[in-house]
């Protein structure tokens, strides 16, 4: 198998030592240690140099040259008290209960740096370094058949070890992508893996591995009966205090629990539903901002049209302002139609002020609303897309406009009005 397919980034001994020091600062010592993809054995060496080394260490590695290097390294250790086995095997074909024989029992540490490669990358390399296709994340449809393209090999190895060893109540400590750590935490919460504590330490992957990856040391302690799905996040291995806490709560992963608690009241099931409903092109004249109780368009003109055609609008940037503690802008959007292709000429009688306004600015429609011209829509001043909704029952509560210029309609019954 080629280097890339093996996700081969050997951990420098210095970093392995810092990691061992970091995890040992939090925990009692372990009598057993497992390095599931041990490479040339730097983690094993770091463990052997710890103040109280484990009595027994097992390493597994696929590449024979690393197996030989790791075995050689052990022979040259001055302190020969620990029992060490280096097993030449493919981690995906190891049966952890039967293929591995521990000589001792006691607290178990599983530590290492599993391969840095995704399923998708293996696909392009035409390499088979992956588990037999399983569906641990309960993926749907195509993703379930092919395996999730973004599924990281490290993620599947860590997940396999959690499942194989959870009864041993191990401590797991892995270098991995931060996204992998988050996925594992989320998946553990969904499947009730008994995590007692979890910590995530940022690692400078550029410095240690010359890799532009958001990497971390992810530490989990599993204990029967525990169910803690929060992870403290530290900005470096020797940071005395954590910066913030990530957590799986209310069915999703929260990036910062403290900030979330401040805004938790807007999370959850809303009695109002937001629906994708409108695509608007002539934003210059159709989107309005409130100034001292009057509406203004982007040309800076005051707009006075029939209110029945003016709907509340919320943009992503307004939500962001809200989160930053700033007052969001009060906005509105003119919606001249209830369905795509609806004739707007009746506005001349039903909404004469709006009709006059739209006609005065017709040039903007012609310039900005290219789909209108291209599709030769029957009616002037059409919006370029309205997602069809069920029969009209309720008043709109607002629109939310996204960066891709599609908008979302918010109605009481989830229906467009
Ligand atoms: C990121 S490197 C880390 C090596 C070592 N854990 C360290 O920290 O220095 C990943 C290691 O996983 C090994 N590896 C990749 N696929 C493997 C497999 N299927 N079974 C066992 N080892 C594998 C690679 O050969 C490589 O040594």
């Amino acid at each position: 198998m080629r280097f890339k397919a093996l996700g081969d980034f050997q951990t420098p001994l210095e970093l392995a030592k810092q990691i061992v020091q970091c995890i040992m600062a939090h925990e009692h010592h372990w009598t057993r240690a497992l390095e599931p993809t041990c490479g040339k054995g730097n983690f094993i060496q770091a463990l052997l140099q710890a103040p109280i080394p484990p009595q027994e260490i097992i390493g597994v590695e696929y590449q024979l040259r690393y197996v030989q290097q790791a075995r050689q390294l052990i022979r040259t250790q001055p302190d020969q008290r620990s029992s060490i086995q280096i097993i030449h095997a493919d981690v995906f074909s190891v049966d952890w209960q039967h293929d591995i024989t521990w000589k001792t029992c006691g607290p178990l540490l599983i530590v290492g740096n599993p391969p840095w490669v995704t399923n998708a990358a293996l696909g392009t390399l035409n390499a088979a370094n992956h588990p037999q296709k399983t569906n641990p994340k309960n993926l749907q449809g195509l993703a379930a058949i092919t395996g999730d393209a973004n599924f990281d090999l490290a993620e599947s190895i860590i997940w396999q070890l959690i499942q194989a060893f959870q009864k041993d109540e191990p401590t797991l400590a892995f270098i991995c992508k931060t996204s992998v750590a988050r996925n594992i935490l989320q998946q553990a919460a969904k499947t009730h893996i008994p995590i007692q504590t979890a910590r995530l330490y940022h690692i400078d992957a550029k410095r240690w591995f010359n890799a532009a990856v958001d990497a971390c040391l992810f530490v989990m302690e599993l204990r029967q009966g525990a169910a803690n799905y929060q992870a403290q996040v530290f900005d470096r291995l020797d940071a005395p205090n954590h910066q913030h806490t990530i957590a799986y709560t209310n069915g999703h992963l929260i990036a910062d629990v403290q900030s979330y608690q401040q805004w938790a009241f807007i999370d959850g099931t809303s009695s109002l539903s937001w629906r994708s409903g409108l695509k608007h092109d002539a934003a210059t004249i159709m989107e309005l901002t409130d100034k001292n109780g009057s509406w203004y368009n982007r040309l800076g003109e005051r707009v006075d049209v029939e209110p029945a055609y003016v709907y509340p609008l919320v943009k992503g940037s307004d939500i962001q302002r809200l989160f930053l503690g700033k007052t969001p802008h009060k906005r509105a959007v003119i919606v001249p139609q209830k369905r795509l292709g609806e004739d707007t000429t009746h506005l001349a009688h039903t909404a004469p002020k709006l009709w006059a306004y739209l006609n005065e600015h017709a040039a903007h429609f012609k310039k900005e609303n290219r789909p209108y011209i291209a599709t030769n829509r029957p009616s002037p001043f059409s919006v370029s897309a309205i997602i069809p909704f069920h029969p009209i029952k309720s008043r709109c509560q607002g629109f939310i406009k996204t960066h891709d210029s599609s908008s979302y309609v918010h109605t009481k019954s989830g229906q467009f009005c």
Side-chain angles (χ1 to χ4, degrees):
M1 229 180 297
R2 283 158 53 188
F3 167 86
K4 271 191 180 167
L6 292 163
D8 190 351
F9 289 83
Q10 300 294 305
T11 309
L13 179 61
E14 181 52 32
L15 178 60
K17 280 188 191 172
Q18 285 184 23
I19 286 173
V20 168
Q21 199 178 359
C22 168
I23 47 183
M24 288 197 170
H26 276 265
E27 264 271 357
H28 53 85
H29 80 281
W30 294 271
T31 54
R32 297 182 295 156
L34 171 67
E35 221 287 34
T37 56
C38 69
K40 50 172 95 154
N42 282 338
F43 267 107
I44 294 174
Q45 194 172 355
L47 284 168
L48 291 171
Q49 291 176 12
I52 312 175
Q55 289 164 20
E56 185 175 6
I57 302 174
I58 295 181
V60 175
E61 171 57 44
Y62 179 82
Q63 297 191 68
L64 186 58
R65 64 192 173 105
Y66 285 155
V67 171
Q68 287 161 347
Q69 257 178 285
R71 286 180 180 155
Q72 177 61 24
L73 177 125
I74 296 156
R75 273 184 230 116
T76 56
Q77 287 304 307
D79 186 344
Q80 297 281 339
R81 279 175 300 176
S82 302
S83 149
I84 306 166
Q85 303 173 57
I86 306 293
I87 298 169
H88 181 211
D90 172 357
V91 74
F92 294 116
S93 55
V94 174
D95 175 341
W96 298 104
Q97 303 310 326
H98 299 104
D99 297 348
I100 293 227
T101 317
W102 294 97
K103 295 180 187 144
T104 61
C105 55
L108 173 65
L109 171 68
I110 307 178
V111 65
N113 178 5
W116 297 23
V117 62
T118 61
N119 248 8
L122 287 175
T124 44
L125 291 167
N126 203 12
N129 194 11
H130 53 67
Q132 286 197 320
K133 293 269 188 299
T134 54
N135 192 1
K137 291 177 157 186
N138 259 334
L139 299 168
Q140 302 296 315
L142 199 61
I145 298 163
T146 57
D148 181 357
N150 288 323
F151 201 72
D152 206 284
L153 214 56
E155 193 173 324
S156 73
I157 292 175
I158 297 170
W159 191 245
Q160 188 191 89
L161 292 162
I162 288 176
Q163 291 183 310
F165 288 101
Q166 60 172 292
K167 287 204 182 72
D168 294 67
E169 303 192 334
T171 296
L172 301 111
F174 291 110
I175 298 178
C176 60
K177 289 183 199 154
T178 307
S179 59
V180 166
R182 285 200 221 101
N183 287 350
I184 294 279
L185 190 66
Q186 183 157 354
Q187 191 61 14
K190 284 185 182 164
T191 53
H192 311 292
I193 298 295
I195 299 183
Q196 186 176 60
T197 55
R199 298 185 301 280
L200 195 153
Y201 300 85
H202 285 295
I203 283 181
D204 183 350
K206 187 79 194 143
R207 173 184 166 199
W208 294 108
F209 300 100
N210 196 24
V213 175
D214 186 0
C216 69
L217 171 72
F218 186 42
V219 184
M220 282 173 291
E221 279 138 19
L222 306 193
R223 302 289 180 270
Q224 290 309 316
N228 172 27
Y229 303 112
Q230 299 202 340
Q232 294 181 332
V233 181
F234 297 77
D235 63 0
R236 49 175 215 279
L237 289 169
D238 61 351
N241 300 309
H242 66 281
Q243 276 181 315
H244 62 273
T245 304
I246 59 171
Y248 183 82
T249 182
N250 281 350
H252 43 243
L253 203 67
I254 306 296
D256 183 340
V257 172
Q258 234 178 343
S259 309
Y260 173 75
Q261 279 161 355
Q262 203 182 346
W263 297 103
F265 67 94
I266 55 171
D267 192 11
T269 311
S270 171
S271 57
L272 308 169
S273 50
W274 293 83
R275 303 260 322 247
S276 172
L278 178 79
K279 187 164 163 55
H280 230 300
D281 297 300
T284 313
I285 58 150
M286 300 297 257
E287 286 185 18
L288 311 176
T289 310
D290 176 88
K291 281 183 204 150
N292 303 322
S294 300
W295 292 119
Y296 284 82
N297 64 20
R298 288 198 195 164
L299 301 173
E301 300 166 344
R302 187 166 174 273
V303 178
D304 177 20
V305 297
E306 286 76 5
Y309 296 89
V310 179
Y311 292 87
L313 172 75
V314 181
K315 289 192 172 194
S317 57
D318 294 322
I319 305 276
Q320 194 184 17
R321 286 180 71 83
L322 199 68
F323 274 87
L324 293 172
K326 298 178 183 168
T327 311
H329 298 295
K330 187 175 168 193
R331 299 178 202 271
V333 60
I334 294 172
V335 185
Q337 289 167 301
K338 291 177 178 167
R339 59 184 164 74
L340 200 60
E342 183 183 311
D343 186 6
T344 52
T345 51
H346 68 90
L347 294 173
H349 313 288
T350 51
K353 288 198 279 186
L354 175 61
W355 185 247
Y357 175 73
L358 294 173
N359 276 290
E360 270 167 38
H361 297 88
H364 284 273
F365 272 88
K366 294 210 173 82
K367 196 164 58 180
E368 294 191 28
N369 198 355
R370 297 199 186 281
Y372 162 64
I373 296 163
T375 56
N376 198 16
R377 278 189 221 122
S379 178
F381 317 124
S382 305
V383 291
S384 59
I386 299 177
I387 309 297
F389 281 84
H390 304 296
I392 298 154
K393 277 189 188 148
S394 65
R395 290 276 319 151
C396 289
Q397 303 299 303
F399 292 91
I400 186 160
K401 188 166 192 306
T402 60
H403 58 276
D404 65 352
S405 91
S406 59
S407 304
Y408 292 89
V409 64
H410 184 201
T411 74
K412 260 192 177 139
S413 60
Q415 291 160 344
F416 185 60
C417 56

